[in-house]
Amino acid sequence: MNVNPTKLELVDGTRLRITWSDSQVRDYAFRELRDACPCATCREKRKAPPAPSLFPIVTEAEMRPLRITAMKPVGNYAYSIEFSDGHNTGIFTLESLRELGAVVHP
Ligand SMILES: [Zn+2]
């Protein structure tokens, strides 16, 4: 990986914006990052077929708007992201962050 984030900012309280060292800018919706969480638990969950249910249970935590509450560098190759639902075990590599999100500035 030869590009690095040079700037991290929150935009409109709904998404994360990363400026990269090659001047590319990408926006990430909090929900997109949460749904792409690379930790083992979330990977297993995504693999499992959705359980059929007439009355899906939505917890209070899921109803609240999701936010990023903390983001910390892990070595020089990844970020650990903590979400407002308390989930903090996902380590997002720079490679994965370059594939997620939407390009705002190429
Ligand atoms: Zn996870």
Side-chain angles (χ1 to χ4, degrees):
M1 193 75 188
N2 48 17
V3 291
N4 297 295
T6 55
K7 192 174 169 194
L8 301 176
E9 56 191 325
L10 296 181
V11 180
D12 298 341
T14 58
R15 53 193 201 280
L16 168 74
R17 175 168 292 173
I18 300 181
T19 304
W20 297 82
S21 52
D22 62 352
S23 86
Q24 190 183 100
V25 180
R26 299 178 88 94
D27 269 12
Y28 306 81
F30 297 158
R31 175 56 64 184
E32 180 192 0
L33 289 175
R34 181 67 180 84
D35 288 346
C37 177
C39 83
T41 309
C42 293
R43 279 207 314 266
E44 279 304 309
K45 245 189 220 168
R46 283 198 294 271
K47 258 195 292 175
S53 165
L54 285 177
F55 302 103
I57 296 165
V58 179
T59 65
E60 200 192 324
E62 287 170 339
M63 294 287 288
R64 280 193 229 115
L66 186 78
R67 288 180 299 111
I68 288 178
T69 51
M71 189 161 170
K72 292 183 212 110
V74 177
N76 55 8
Y77 70 95
Y79 281 97
S80 131
I81 299 181
E82 181 182 310
F83 295 93
S84 56
D85 62 359
H87 195 70
N88 64 358
T89 48
I91 305 287
F92 291 76
T93 62
L94 298 184
E95 278 91 347
S96 72
L97 288 171
R98 282 288 285 203
E99 281 163 20
L100 293 165
V103 177
V104 180
H105 183 281

